Amino acid sequence: MGSPWTARALVASCLALSLAAPAAAQSIAVDRQRGEQMLDQIREDLVEHYYDPTFHGIDLDGLIDRARQRINAAQSLGEIFGLLAGVCLDLHDSHTLFMPPERVQDVRYGWSWRYVGDRALVDWIADDSEARRQGLRAGDTVLEVAGFTLTRGNERTISYLLSELRPQPQLRLTVERNGVNRTLTVAPRIRTRRPRLDLDNQLDRYVAEMQEATANAGRPKPKQERLADGALYWRLPDFFDAPGAIRKQAKTLRRSHRLVLDLRGNPGGSVGVLVQVAGLFAAKGTPVVSIRTRADREKMATADAAAPYAGTVVVLVDSRSGSSAEVLARFLQQRGARVVGDVTRGAVTGARVFNHAAGEGDIRVLYAVMVTVLDVLMPDGSRLEGAGVQPDILSLPTPDDLERGADPVLATAAALLDVTIDPLRAGRLSRP
């Protein structure tokens, strides 16, 4: 299953695109021509690979024709990218996206938000960021950003707009704290990349390898800690670990009889790893998911021959838990585990990324289209896409908890296992 965390490495002859005005790039006529090439490729990828050949009843050709007309009238590259992205977004599918060419300027805003219940709360601020100097605080409620009113329904699209389609050289936002609204204009940190990498060149190949290594080094790591005698805290940040790493973590699991499994912030990953982890909790041959493609339907079941874990399980989820993490949470919930936290993302399909180039001759830009190629159903036939997992116990941190670094959600989960943890200590335990 696809993950928004996965880094996109730069590859050969990648002509990155600038935040500057079109006069600094190719003419708008050339940009429109490339936009049409990309549009044709998006259509081809969807027609050949999208899991539902009816496109949920959408008139795909009509959608493409309208986008083409608007691309031919577009006045900027950003507008063209927005139209291309809109074709994918109109499918209302969590894993189908237009992934535009890399830009020369890498924009880092220095802060982030996440949804907690019905509020978008600031959950991280870089120490050296303009956002911190402007007085932004962890726990502030974000009401508006870049002119958009945030809702739980649109926040992923707005994040995609700000990070991929239209990075902002100045980001205006309105936040609220204790009933008082403030409007800030925050300048991000902008770093200029090399405009072109050629993997036939040894130095450029080394640069690309180092970029990929840096991205992997920043990936959160699994964590296991003892909460008390026989009680284990296990945080799984994603589903990308090799089978050997999962087996190693399973050894610690089997030495405990109470478990808090933390899937908060876990965006998903490999369905194979999902099935392996599910196999730690169910007998061999237990159905985990049903995968539906255009051609067929396949049931995936556990294969671990060892005795399944028989202890008490509490699963933690939040609004960033997605894809494989949601499937595992629901799988365990249906087997008696209690799920604590927030409603999950509801982003549960499987996708492939198709890489392409647009342009002529030596001047070509690389871009990609992520296409949902399979639907994912639970063994009982239910779908989590668009719905998410509903926790048994709704437990949310307050703005003050986020600012103090406290984790009352983990403290609540531990109490269900008869373990008492102060929320501040819980915050230290769950910190990446």
Side-chain angles (χ1 to χ4, degrees), residues 335-348:
R335 299 183 63 81
R338 282 173 288 185
V339 175
V340 176
D342 202 352
V343 180
T344 62
R345 289 183 69 198
V348 189

Side-chain angles (χ1 to χ4, degrees), residues 160-235:
Y160 170 56
L161 175 74
L162 297 179
S163 62
E164 297 284 343
L165 297 178
R166 200 181 301 164
Q168 304 290 302
Q170 297 285 330
L171 188 63
R172 184 179 175 87
L173 60 145
T174 300
V175 298
E176 179 270 335
R177 189 74 173 239
N178 297 325
V180 178
N181 290 4
R182 294 181 297 137
T183 298
L184 313 173
T185 300
V186 177
R189 177 167 293 176
I190 299 176
R191 179 176 62 88
T192 300
R193 299 188 182 102
R194 294 183 64 186
R196 187 187 294 266
L197 288 180
D198 180 358
L199 295 191
D200 291 330
N201 176 282
Q202 184 175 356
L203 177 59
D204 281 4
R205 187 166 60 248
Y206 173 76
V207 170
E209 290 171 353
M210 291 303 296
Q211 287 173 336
E212 186 171 2
T214 300
N216 288 331
R219 173 189 160 209
K221 301 295 189 293
K223 184 176 186 179
Q224 291 183 321
E225 297 281 350
R226 291 287 177 189
L227 299 177
D229 185 37
L232 178 68
Y233 169 75
W234 183 14
R235 187 183 70 232

